[in-house]
Amino acid sequence: MFTLASSVGAQSTDDWRSARLLTIHLSSFKFDPSDILLDHGVPYTLHIVNGSSGGHDFASKEFFAQARIKPEDADKVSGGRVDLGGGESVDIHLIAPSPGSYKIRCTHFMHSMFGMTGRIVVR
């Protein structure tokens, strides 16, 4: 299932006040939503929530490398991933990169093997 975070007409701006909010829940071995649809050039606030007691991360090296991340949020993304301890949440403000499909996964031991994977599709 895709979660669509868009509206008619893409905007190319760094006006973070107009960023579209997208909440992504991390839990034991899944992302919700696991498929995310974004519009190229549009600002988003990714609100990533770890609802479990253990640690998880949201890793998409290619996506984060190509997205334009708000300078104040750049240190929240390390090596193409966002790490969250149990019960933590974080907001990442970014402008969606070029159209394409970007894999996401949790890099913690065996988490992706147990299904903690997904994709970001930018159109």
Side-chain angles (χ1 to χ4, degrees), residues 9-106:
Q11 48 187 340
S12 181
T13 178
D14 285 351
D15 183 3
W16 302 109
R17 294 170 297 172
S18 67
R20 298 176 192 169
L21 177 64
L22 177 61
T23 300
I24 303 162
H25 295 275
L26 286 61
S27 60
S28 292
F29 314 124
K30 72 175 189 172
F31 295 117
D32 184 22
S34 60
D35 290 317
I36 301 164
L37 182 60
L38 305 177
D39 289 321
H40 162 70
V42 173
Y44 289 92
T45 300
L46 301 184
H47 180 64
I48 306 171
V49 179
N50 180 2
S52 68
S53 60
H56 291 293
D57 63 25
F58 183 85
S60 186
K61 191 171 186 172
E62 185 180 1
F63 174 79
F64 284 122
Q66 292 188 30
R68 196 164 68 226
I69 299 171
K70 184 177 181 180
E72 295 88 344
D73 292 345
D75 63 339
K76 298 175 186 176
V77 180
S78 177
R81 70 177 197 251
V82 178
D83 287 304
L84 294 107
E88 291 184 339
S89 65
V90 67
D91 289 337
I92 307 292
H93 299 82
L94 56 81
I95 307 249
S98 299
S101 182
Y102 304 88
K103 293 179 182 179
I104 54 175
R105 66 187 185 102
C106 180

